[in-house]
Amino acid sequence: MDFTNQIVLITGASSGIGKQLAIDFAKRGAVVIGCGRSIARLKEVLKQVRQTSPTSLMIGCDVGDPEQVHGMIERVLTDYGGVDILINNAGIGMRKPFHQTDLSTIEEIMRVNYFGAVYCTHEVLPSMIARGKGQIVNISSVAGNIGTLNMAAYCASKFAMNGWSESLYHELTPLGVKVSLVCPGPVHTGFSRNFRDSEPHSPPSLFVDASDVSQAVFKVIEHNRFELVMPRWLALICWLKRVSPGLFRYLAQRRFRPYVTVPESRRS
Ligand SMILES: NC(=O)c1ccc[n+]([C@@H]2O[C@H](COP(=O)([O-])OP(=O)(O)OC[C@H]3O[C@@H](n4cnc5c(N)ncnc54)[C@H](OP(=O)(O)O)[C@@H]3O)[C@@H](O)[C@H]2O)c1
């Protein structure tokens, strides 16, 4: 597929998967608009991206703030004339028992991971619908298909993204706007920097690289696919959950039970 001069807006482009996507789209001729909160990191990414795509741009923006998102998209539409591909990638994580998690943390995760994608899409969609074309790719997670121990707030935000994406798919496909969902398992990025020591850890064999996720994004766009779960082992586990939910729950409980946090007052 030819991405030359396509305008690609990537949220969370200052590191990890978003950074890799920005570099890869630029190499394939696209004009990349990336956003994030860390201006210093965005500047570093922009240097790399401009080597192959000189008109690309990075914009400081908190996607969880609808006013900042409005300002960013207004600027992109004015200066670049439209967005061909929107990749909702910005996200934050956590791993902590729900009963020990502050409400403010739970709200923040939903605000960034789910509402961030909603705000960006809501701003971009009218112009895509008016042009009768466009592509939205949402970076969700296997945690959007499987409820994982100690990740209730994160799973909720990704389950929300999956259901929202499925609805959008039905609403927007007939209008010429394509919607896709990429659900990676654990990825080698700095994503878990604040909860690296908490359990349960994913087996190393399940990890993929940011470049694998970037390739998956190109795959869903080029093959007009709605959902891609990766790696294959986790796709199989998601399939098992769909076809045999009882067996899946039994096996998942066996895996998770050793890591359940029992409060001090309940320990004998
Ligand atoms: N790594 C994994 O194991 C994994 C697995 C499955 C799914 N995912 C998903 O993949 C996506 C990217 O994660 P990653 O692994 O690349 O992690 P990462 O390296 O920590 O990157 C996260 C990106 O999101 C941006 N971001 C965070 N909060 C933001 C906000 N409020 N406004 C704008 N940008 C914000 C960060 O930029 P600033 O800090 O500059 O704001 C950064 O660029 C996330 O949606 C995550 O849920 C990751």
Side-chain angles (χ1 to χ4, degrees):
M1 199 177 229
D2 185 15
F3 293 100
T4 312
N5 294 329
Q6 294 263 299
I7 310 297
V8 182
L9 175 55
I10 303 167
T11 68
S14 61
S15 65
I17 296 165
K19 175 181 174 182
Q20 186 68 49
L21 281 165
I23 293 167
D24 290 349
F25 270 102
K27 276 186 188 156
R28 293 189 61 171
V31 176
V32 173
I33 319 293
C35 83
R37 295 160 306 170
S38 162
I39 303 298
R41 286 207 305 256
L42 286 175
K43 278 186 180 160
E44 283 304 310
V45 177
L46 186 60
K47 261 192 223 161
Q48 288 189 55
V49 165
R50 282 209 171 146
Q51 286 172 9
T52 47
S53 176
T55 53
S56 288
L57 184 71
M58 295 284 153
I59 302 175
C61 174
D62 178 346
V63 295
D65 178 344
E67 282 183 21
Q68 287 189 39
V69 171
H70 177 73
M72 171 177 72
I73 308 279
E74 197 171 50
R75 181 175 166 194
V76 173
L77 294 180
T78 306
D79 293 354
Y80 292 86
V83 173
D84 297 297
I85 302 174
L86 166 65
I87 304 181
N88 288 308
N89 164 74
I92 50 174
M94 52 83 69
R95 190 157 54 210
K96 210 176 186 186
F98 179 73
H99 68 267
Q100 292 178 352
T101 311
D102 294 338
L103 284 178
S104 59
T105 304
I106 296 166
E107 286 167 0
E108 175 72 353
I109 288 173
M110 197 54 113
R111 190 175 72 80
V112 175
N113 294 5
Y114 173 60
F115 281 107
V118 168
Y119 299 148
C120 292
T121 305
H122 204 256
E123 287 290 337
V124 162
L125 258 185
S127 63
M128 284 186 173
I129 291 172
R131 296 158 84 196
K133 65 180 173 122
Q135 169 91 51
I136 296 162
V137 183
N138 294 324
I139 307 299
S140 182
S141 169
V142 167
N145 292 302
I146 292 173
T148 311
L149 186 85
N150 293 343
M151 296 190 96
Y154 181 69
C155 286
S157 71
K158 295 298 188 181
F159 266 69
M161 180 176 249
N162 286 18
W164 172 69
S165 302
E166 203 173 312
S167 272
L168 284 188
Y169 175 87
H170 295 301
E171 283 185 29
L172 299 176
T173 307
L175 305 182
V177 180
K178 296 171 182 167
V179 180
S180 299
L181 189 59
V182 173
C183 300
V187 188
H188 287 296
T189 65
F191 184 69
S192 57
R193 57 183 82 76
N194 297 327
F195 53 93
R196 198 154 270 146
D197 298 330
S198 57
E199 294 281 8
H201 285 118
S202 302
S205 59
L206 291 182
F207 274 77
V208 297
D209 292 323
S211 57
D212 299 316
V213 183
S214 175
Q215 278 176 33
V217 169
F218 283 100
K219 195 169 177 179
V220 293
I221 295 174
E222 290 176 331
H223 294 256
N224 203 6
R225 217 167 130 172
F226 172 64
E227 186 177 7
L228 193 156
V229 181
M230 63 190 294
R232 270 177 214 277
W233 260 112
L234 288 176
L236 190 68
I237 287 173
C238 291
W239 173 82
L240 175 67
K241 183 186 169 182
R242 270 182 212 154
V243 296
S244 186
L247 172 63
F248 171 80
R249 225 177 345 268
Y250 168 76
L251 294 173
Q253 251 193 340
R254 279 176 60 117
R255 153 99 175 101
F256 291 145
R257 183 148 285 173
Y259 305 108
V260 170
T261 304
V262 180
E264 201 71 52
S265 58
R266 293 274 308 272
R267 287 184 205 155
S268 51

